[in-house]
Amino acid sequence: MLLAQEVIMASWARLFTAVVLGLVAGLLSADIENTPQVMTQAQLAKATQKYGMLAERRFHAWQTLVDENLHKPEAQKLEAVNDFFNQAQFVDDILHWKQKDYWATPVEFLGTDAGDCEDFAIAKYFTLKALGIAEHKLYLTYVKAIRLKQAHMVLTYFETPKSIPLVLDNINKRILPATQRNDLVPVYSFNGDGLWLAKQRGKGKEVSGGTQKLTKWNNLLQKIRND
């Protein structure tokens, strides 16, 4: 009798384990299916053929970045994305792309593991959008870098429309409020929603015609569609 009871209990244990494992597998599968894919399999194959196996590892790391941070608080998403892309090398466009001012797609940036300030900011912008941060919180912002005496691009994040923006930068790799970045003078900012003359508090004055005036932005969007 005792042996029979042990057999029954063991059967229930196996059934319970199977059910739990099945639920876990189902949840994991559902989670993977719901995670935004930064690249399709076709895009990954095409980019790997062009940029090589080391680039493929970076593309997979990019997807892992999204998978692991999708449900994190926005502050953690900002830190993770900023740290991830700031590992790349800064290389001036004229050396890297043989052009004076070239805006790379995130795939081109990760594929070559290098770029200039626009490339860092653009990759962060699109990745944070993939992580679910609303577009109205993210702005590609042109500034004047006082110490470098040159134009520079950063990504700015507004928690609310009236918040002091946080600055995600490849020069100063710490995320800081714009009021603590006295080395930067904002000029204008833009995203998929429009173009604004920038200031440290708020977005600034909207420019008539919006991003249609930004040829490089529109060319970049077309390249991303073709990647």
Side-chain angles (χ1 to χ4, degrees):
M1 182 68 177
L2 183 60
L3 180 60
Q5 287 179 335
E6 289 175 350
V7 171
I8 292 170
M9 291 297 292
S11 297
W12 275 107
R14 286 194 297 272
L15 178 60
F16 177 76
T17 301
V19 169
V20 170
L21 290 174
L23 285 172
V24 170
L27 287 171
L28 289 174
S29 176
D31 191 53
I32 290 169
E33 289 173 2
N34 292 330
T35 301
Q37 300 300 298
V38 293
M39 301 176 73
T40 65
Q41 288 301 312
Q43 289 170 329
L44 178 61
K46 179 182 176 183
T48 299
Q49 185 176 20
K50 182 174 183 179
Y51 298 110
M53 299 302 292
L54 289 178
E56 183 182 25
R57 293 181 187 177
R58 292 191 291 273
F59 296 139
H60 282 301
W62 185 23
Q63 182 62 59
T64 300
L65 172 71
V66 172
D67 294 344
E68 293 181 349
N69 289 280
L70 185 61
H71 303 296
K72 298 283 181 67
E74 289 190 354
Q76 292 184 32
K77 293 178 181 181
L78 295 176
E79 290 286 353
V81 169
N82 195 54
D83 290 346
F84 178 81
F85 287 106
N86 279 347
Q87 297 175 78
Q89 302 175 68
F90 177 90
V91 180
D92 192 78
D93 284 338
I94 200 68
L95 297 174
H96 193 44
W97 300 109
K98 312 304 179 189
Q99 295 184 35
K100 187 176 180 180
D101 189 19
Y102 183 84
W103 290 16
T105 68
V107 171
E108 290 174 319
F109 179 50
L110 278 178
T112 58
D113 198 25
D116 72 352
C117 59
E118 289 95 349
D119 306 329
F120 283 88
I122 287 165
K124 293 172 187 178
Y125 170 82
F126 282 106
T127 304
L128 287 167
K129 280 186 63 180
L131 281 167
I133 294 184
E135 187 160 46
H136 69 265
K137 294 184 174 184
L138 299 169
Y139 295 86
L140 295 157
T141 302
Y142 259 116
V143 299
K144 180 180 179 180
I146 296 173
R147 292 171 189 166
L148 298 177
K149 297 181 180 179
Q150 65 183 37
H152 181 54
M153 183 185 279
V154 297
L155 181 67
T156 50
Y157 164 85
F158 291 75
E159 185 175 5
T160 71
K162 294 184 178 180
S163 296
I164 294 173
L166 298 177
V167 178
L168 285 71
D169 189 9
N170 66 290
I171 295 177
N172 185 336
K173 298 184 179 183
R174 294 174 57 206
I175 297 177
L176 294 171
T179 49
Q180 293 183 29
R181 292 300 306 271
N182 297 325
D183 56 318
L184 305 178
V185 177
V187 180
Y188 68 86
S189 62
F190 63 95
N191 61 15
D193 291 334
L195 170 66
W196 291 263
L197 294 176
K199 58 183 180 179
Q200 282 193 306
R201 287 181 178 271
K203 293 181 296 187
K205 182 180 179 181
E206 186 167 7
V207 177
S208 177
T211 52
Q212 292 181 4
K213 292 180 178 290
L214 294 174
T215 302
K216 289 188 180 298
W217 172 247
N218 292 305
N219 290 344
L220 173 73
L221 295 179
Q222 187 60 49
K223 283 196 301 176
I224 289 173
R225 295 185 192 103
N226 295 335
D227 265 348

